[in-house]
Each structure stands twice: as structure tokens, then as C-alpha cells.
Amino acid sequence: MKKNIFKGTGVALVTPFKNDFSIDVEALKRIVNHVIDNGADFLVVLGTTSEAPTLSSNEKQLVINTILSENNHRLPVMLGIGGNNTQAVIETIKAQDFTDIDGILSVVPYYNKPNQRGMRAHFEAIADASPVPVVVYNVPGRVGVNLQAATCVELAQHPNIIAVKEASGNLQQIMEILRDKPADFDVLSGDDGITQPLMALGATGVISVAANAYTKPFSHMMRAMKEGRTEEALRLHYAMLHMNQLIFADGNPAGIKCLMSHIGLCENVLRLPLVTVSEKVKLDIVEEWKQLKDK
């Protein structure tokens, strides 16, 4: 029986930058404590929201070290290690020190557009090489191909693949995974806006962008769903619904960094090719925050 410790509210941590585009270590520490103090259940390091493609190897290690040190064993940690060169991913895994790292989040290979057999072979090779459990990340809107439900369920049989982060937005597909998966395999929402419905259908957690900023209401909603307080969870779901849309209106993590800057967690700075949100979106986010901040 596989054991998955990644349940509830996971936070895909942003990488804060100073105005000179260098990593803001103090802001990163502040963010880690903010999400832990407000109810997060696990941390996700170097996911898409971290702008990992724009970080050097040394910067990635700085981010990892800072988060692990500040976390100080308080919450489980998942590390993003993925790519479209299977052997390169395996070499990265072999070179990584997994002290205090509890799992890997690995995305479906992008650009190459592998078929279902190729995706399955890719993830099985990664899972065979990894000393820690693997969470598969399906996000067809970013990578160009979709990990189908049947392939996901096949991968769920692997003893070292414990969950899928499902960000396809396809409820039919996600329900098929939930229906057919083994009992010891979990489905994590990859879309903040549909997390509550997915929890109602049988998902056990989320890897959230929103929870970087409004961790408390988001984690409150998750706990309410877990404990069967569905009316309370639904109230919070609808309270956050518009903000969940706004933070993605001009791309991720542009929206969440805009909000985090407004509430004093970090500077509103991204690295190219990403840029900050438009002035209209910024004003909409600030206005919506007035409605959400006391939830």
C-alpha cells in the first residue's frame, strides 16, 4: 500500500525577485512562514509558479535551500523535477540531494508531444530512478498534449507513483481517473477555481497558486470539505471564485505576484518573458481583495 503525505492544501511557491531581478531571499522566507502560519499542508518547490525556467542551477539550489531551512521540517516538501528529455530528468534526479524532500512533481513532457505510450514510458523511467515518490503533473494547456485518464490509471499501478496533479480542466476525464484509480493513488487539483468541486468528487488535495496569498480561506475551504462541512466550503469557494479568475487573467504567476505585492509579501517583479499584469487587472485584483481579505 502506497502512502501519500501530500494531501490538503499544497502551495506552489512563487520565487520573489528584487527590483534588480535577483532572488529576494528574505521575501521567500516571509512567504514560507505566511503559508505555513495560515494553514498550508505541504509546500511545492520549483513548480511552474516559481518561474523555474528562468532560474539558473545555482539559483534553483538557493531557492531549495532557503525553503527547506525556513520550513525546518514543519511541512512535507515536493520538488519540481521535470522536462522533455527523459534521460536529463533522470540525471537531475540522480544529482539531487533529497534530504528533507519528500516527493517529486514531474510534468508531462512539453514540446516533443509524445503519444500515450511515450508518456507512460517517460514517467515509469522517472519513477524507477527516483528515491522519493512521484506525482505526475498533467497540464495540457502548457505542454501541448494530454495525459489521458486510461494512461494515468496505468501509471497509478507503479509502486512509486502516488498521485496526479490534474490541471486539464476536463471534469469528465478527472472523474474517470477518480472512478478507476487504485485506492492508494490520489488526485490533486491543479486548478484553484474547481478545487472544491473536485474534492466533492473524490480528490484529496490541491497544488494551489492562490494559496500563496489567501492561504487562510483556501485552506479553510479544504479542511471544511475534508470534514464534511460542505455548506461552509461552498461559501468560501464562491467567495474566492472571482479572485481565482483574476489571478490568472494575465498569466501565472503575474496575477498572484501582483496580489502578493499589494499585501506586502514580495515585490511585483517577474523575469522575462513574463511581465506584470495590466493596470486594469491590477486594479481589479486590488478591488476584489477588499472583498476577500476578511474571509
Side-chain angles (χ1 to χ4, degrees), residues 215-274:
T215 323
K216 186 173 285 185
F218 209 102
S219 59
H220 187 170
M221 179 192 75
M222 296 294 288
R223 288 197 169 89
M225 283 302 295
K226 182 181 178 182
E227 295 165 9
R229 292 178 279 117
T230 53
E231 287 187 15
E232 188 177 348
L234 203 57
R235 176 183 63 81
L236 288 163
H237 165 70
Y238 283 120
M240 294 184 288
L241 187 65
H242 188 41
M243 185 66 89
N244 287 339
Q245 294 172 312
L246 284 174
I247 61 170
F248 295 102
D250 237 348
N252 179 47
I256 198 66
K257 278 193 167 180
C258 173
L259 178 56
M260 293 171 78
S261 172
H262 178 67
I263 62 180
L265 286 170
C266 65
E267 297 293 336
N268 188 19
V269 178
L270 297 95
R271 284 184 176 175
L272 290 171
L274 301 183

Side-chain angles (χ1 to χ4, degrees), residues 18 39 118 144 166 215 241 286:
K18 299 177 182 178
E166 243 296 345
T215 323
L241 187 65
V286 170

Side-chain angles (χ1 to χ4, degrees), residues 5-20:
I5 59 174
F6 299 111
K7 296 178 185 286
T9 305
V11 184
L13 293 165
V14 305
T15 302
F17 300 121
K18 299 177 182 178
N19 287 319
D20 65 0

